[in-house]
Amino acid sequence: MAGPARRPRGLTGSARGLPSPPWRLQGQAWLSLFRGALPGESRATFLLGFARYDDFGTLGFSQLLVARMAPGRVPRLSVLEGWTDSPEAAEGVGALWGLPHEPGVLTHDQGGLGLVDRSAWSVTADGAELVSASFADATGVAPRIPFRAATTQRHEDGTDATGDVTGSARSLPCLAHWDFAAEGPLGWLAGQQPFLSLRARDVRMTVA
């Protein structure tokens, strides 16, 4: 999700005063897939996702994740950047799974009419808006389906950290529009729109 905390071998979350894995999270998510290229790298598929987890799970927090995605039977994610409004969540996901998260102000507005739900998100850090996005979906009638993914990260000390993500959600494709600040850390995506977006309602997820 300021720089990621790192977990020496054998250090558990409880040893740091953090919630120990597995983390059980409940909430909502808005996900988009992009084709793009980081400076000096070849094109790849990237997952950008906003999520809002409630206090009924291990932690309540909001986040934006930016990850390189390797498709497969179990999609594998390498998180490049992230922002969250929870210092505890930032420290926890960094120490336990190596996921980089920085502090940010995440705003979320939600409304709609009839079956169509509309959501708007933005992330501000150091006084500057980095990204905003809007979504329209009809997941109120969506079936609950299972999902699974994995995260793979490399600490600066050379050790690896992996995470296993399993859960279910009421999910359907949705409409999405993103705006990236050209001079911000996601400026390499400025002017681009996703080729696929998904709203996941009533997420129940375990991260181990």
Side-chain angles (χ1 to χ4, degrees):
M1 335 181 224
R6 296 176 177 80
R7 175 176 54 171
R9 294 184 184 276
L11 181 60
T12 65
S14 59
R16 298 177 59 101
L18 301 169
S20 294
W23 284 16
R24 293 179 173 84
L25 303 175
Q26 298 181 187
Q28 320 288 327
W30 295 257
L31 311 172
S32 290
L33 293 177
F34 290 80
R35 287 289 294 175
L38 289 162
E41 297 187 8
S42 58
R43 287 175 62 83
T45 299
F46 296 89
L47 172 70
L48 277 69
F50 286 100
R52 186 186 66 205
Y53 301 111
D54 60 41
D55 292 328
F56 294 103
T58 299
L59 281 178
F61 62 98
S62 296
Q63 68 178 167
L64 170 64
L65 279 179
V66 180
R68 183 185 286 108
M69 183 176 182
R73 188 173 62 86
V74 177
R76 189 163 294 276
L77 306 175
S78 177
V79 176
L80 307 175
E81 298 181 275
W83 289 267
T84 181
D85 55 7
S86 166
E88 186 177 14
E91 183 179 6
V93 299
L96 298 172
W97 297 287
L99 308 181
H101 275 56
E102 298 179 11
V105 178
L106 284 80
T107 61
H108 174 231
D109 294 312
Q110 193 164 352
L113 181 65
L115 294 177
V116 178
D117 190 36
R118 298 184 183 275
S119 300
W121 279 93
S122 67
V123 178
T124 300
D126 297 325
E129 185 174 274
L130 309 182
V131 57
S132 63
S134 59
F135 303 86
D137 69 88
T139 49
V141 296
R144 178 169 291 278
I145 57 175
F147 62 82
R148 184 175 180 183
T151 62
T152 302
Q153 304 292 129
R154 175 64 60 88
H155 291 309
E156 289 182 1
D157 63 6
T159 59
D160 293 328
T162 60
D164 187 29
V165 182
T166 57
S168 67
R170 295 163 55 199
S171 303
L172 281 177
C174 70
L175 300 177
H177 182 87
W178 291 70
D179 289 298
F180 302 94
E183 302 302 320
L186 299 178
W188 53 279
L189 284 169
Q192 297 195 48
Q193 295 300 325
F195 65 85
L196 178 66
S197 295
L198 183 78
R199 165 74 190 277
R201 183 189 292 265
D202 302 332
V203 176
R204 302 170 188 167
M205 183 172 73
T206 298
V207 186

